[in-house]
Amino acid sequence: MHEYTSTSGRRVVGVLIHPTHMRKTVLIFLVLPGYVACAQLTTDTVSFDTSYTLKEKKSPAILRAGLALGYIGATYYCYRKEDNHFQNESQEHKHPLKDAVARNLSPLGTAQTNWMALGATTGFAYLTRNTRLQHVVFVWAGSLLINDALTNKLKNSFQRYRPSTGKPFNSFDGNEGPGANRSFPSAHTSNAFTTATVFATLYKDKHWVPPLAYGLATMVGFSRVYDNAHWASDVMAGAAVGFLSAKTMILTDKWVGKKNIRLYPQVSKRSASMGMVKTF
């Protein structure tokens, strides 16, 4: 056991383990998009009829629970045994091509980029009278709101130190900290996976969409580790938060549709909210 003292004066106790096989960590990241895609297949199979109503075919609950537990276990394993080693490897093996990829893909995960993309897509959907895309941007907006709330709650609760601070991987301030350390989970990754899951689910009939969406989201996560801004387990947790945020909104949208309720996301420079209207 090792004990560390954070900048806020709190003592952080944890186990510092030095892994020896980089390939384990690489494997974790290589299977990330596949694991999420598999989770999507077992959560629901979504398609559209002529009125663009969601149809859902659920898989056995035990399979969904098994996938969820497996992913939690993989994330915890990454935290306990791979975070340190993967971070060291990513910083020791810099390359101009990797630098360029990280520099261009990392911005795709910012909240500003996702909301701007949503605004542009919304304008296009209504200008072209594309009713399917209009429904997608509505779900997308709600998903981003849910993701923002969940991600910020987790960041404030854990207040984990970023690798760039030089602190050990198991350094946390907890919810009593000053709010300066917000590494867990990765917001860039959760934003990217929120958007990816919305499009991968609602455009599931376009077979090229899911691999492209999840592939780009995974590369955003890679870039955050490569830039020394996050630990690998931050990225894995962010992917899960984004995935669940989108799925929650999709299921909510389906439920309220059956109840003759319409939800209207409302976003301003200083706040975000959700309006609700029920027809009788």
Side-chain angles (χ1 to χ4, degrees):
M1 297 291 288
H2 297 262
E3 186 176 89
Y4 308 96
T5 303
S6 70
T7 55
S8 62
R10 297 187 64 195
R11 291 189 179 276
V12 181
V13 180
V15 179
L16 184 60
I17 302 175
H18 299 282
T20 59
H21 302 291
M22 176 62 183
R23 58 188 178 186
K24 294 180 182 178
T25 308
V26 173
L27 180 62
I28 289 176
F29 275 87
L30 287 177
V31 302
L32 177 57
Y35 203 106
V36 174
C38 183
Q40 172 173 309
L41 288 172
T42 58
T43 302
D44 53 21
T45 301
V46 179
S47 60
F48 286 84
D49 58 18
T50 55
S51 61
Y52 302 106
T53 300
L54 288 174
K55 295 178 179 179
E56 180 181 351
K57 180 182 179 181
K58 290 187 177 180
S59 60
I62 189 171
L63 179 57
R64 300 198 300 272
L67 279 171
L69 290 175
Y71 193 87
I72 292 172
T75 303
Y76 184 68
Y77 171 84
C78 183
Y79 160 68
R80 289 292 298 270
K81 295 192 174 183
E82 299 296 337
D83 269 354
N84 233 7
H85 190 59
F86 188 81
Q87 206 63 38
N88 292 336
E89 289 287 335
S90 68
Q91 300 311 298
E92 291 172 1
H93 296 88
K94 295 286 187 177
H95 187 276
L97 178 59
K98 295 179 182 178
D99 293 343
V101 171
R103 183 171 59 254
N104 286 283
L105 287 181
S106 182
L108 296 179
T110 65
Q112 182 180 15
T113 297
N114 279 267
W115 282 108
M116 288 177 62
L118 173 65
T121 306
T122 301
F124 177 80
Y126 282 92
L127 283 174
T128 58
R129 299 180 180 179
N130 187 329
T131 54
R132 180 177 186 178
L133 190 56
Q134 289 172 16
H135 180 262
V136 170
V137 295
F138 162 73
V139 174
W140 188 6
S143 299
L144 287 174
L145 288 175
I146 294 172
N147 174 70
D148 182 69
L150 288 176
T151 300
N152 283 318
K153 177 63 176 177
L154 289 170
K155 282 180 174 291
N156 292 330
S157 296
F158 286 92
Q159 295 194 40
R160 187 184 193 185
Y161 284 72
R162 296 181 186 274
S164 57
T165 64
K167 290 288 185 178
F169 71 96
N170 53 0
S171 297
F172 299 82
D173 280 336
N175 57 14
E176 297 179 0
N181 302 294
R182 293 162 54 84
S183 185
F184 182 89
S186 165
H188 279 66
T189 308
S190 68
N191 286 326
F193 268 89
T194 297
T195 297
T197 303
V198 168
F199 282 89
T201 302
L202 300 186
Y203 282 99
K204 193 176 181 63
D205 55 315
K206 308 295 184 183
H207 299 300
W208 58 271
V209 173
L212 176 63
Y214 286 131
L216 286 174
T218 300
M219 292 304 295
V220 169
F222 261 122
S223 72
R224 299 305 289 161
V225 177
Y226 185 80
D227 290 340
N228 206 33
H230 284 286
W231 304 97
S233 57
D234 295 338
V235 168
M236 294 187 71
V241 171
F243 177 82
L244 293 174
S245 296
K247 288 298 184 182
T248 298
M249 183 59 196
I250 289 169
L251 292 176
T252 300
D253 175 60
K254 181 180 179 181
W255 180 82
V256 298
K258 292 179 179 179
K259 303 292 184 181
N260 295 320
I261 298 173
R262 292 302 303 272
L263 299 177
Y264 297 93
Q266 300 172 346
V267 182
S268 65
K269 292 183 178 180
R270 299 193 176 190
S271 64
S273 61
M274 184 78 74
M276 182 176 70
V277 176
K278 179 176 176 59
T279 58
F280 297 91

